[in-house]
Amino acid sequence: MTDTNIDLEAIQTVVDRVTSWQDGATEGTVEDELQKGFSEVGIEVPHDQMTALAEAIQSRHGAVDAAEVLGR
């Protein structure tokens, strides 16, 4: 498994966790929680990608496919 796949799995895990308990939170709160989660798993996600993930979580109110949002 490549680092990209590992990172994508880690990103998806964090996105799933934040999605499950952030319904109704502001985008800033969602971004903060994503950042905390990424820090906990030891990966860095560029700000523009984190913003895209936060917007997807806010707008979809359900499952978010990180690979789709990030175009991977």
Side-chain angles (χ1 to χ4, degrees):
M1 192 175 272
T2 67
D3 285 343
T4 301
N5 289 339
I6 293 169
D7 286 350
L8 190 53
E9 286 181 23
I11 289 169
Q12 187 64 56
T13 298
V14 172
V15 166
D16 290 346
R17 185 179 75 188
V18 172
T19 299
S20 72
W21 53 272
Q22 288 296 326
D23 191 32
T26 65
E27 184 177 315
T29 300
V30 173
E31 280 192 45
D32 290 344
E33 293 302 323
L34 286 170
Q35 181 60 50
K36 288 177 190 175
F38 296 143
S39 293
E40 288 173 10
V41 297
I43 59 172
E44 291 186 31
V45 176
H47 182 72
D48 61 322
Q49 292 181 357
M50 194 172 347
T51 299
L53 290 166
E55 289 174 355
I57 290 169
Q58 286 295 111
S59 67
R60 296 181 190 179
H61 301 289
V64 172
D65 183 341
E68 179 185 315
V69 173
L70 300 178
R72 294 188 185 180

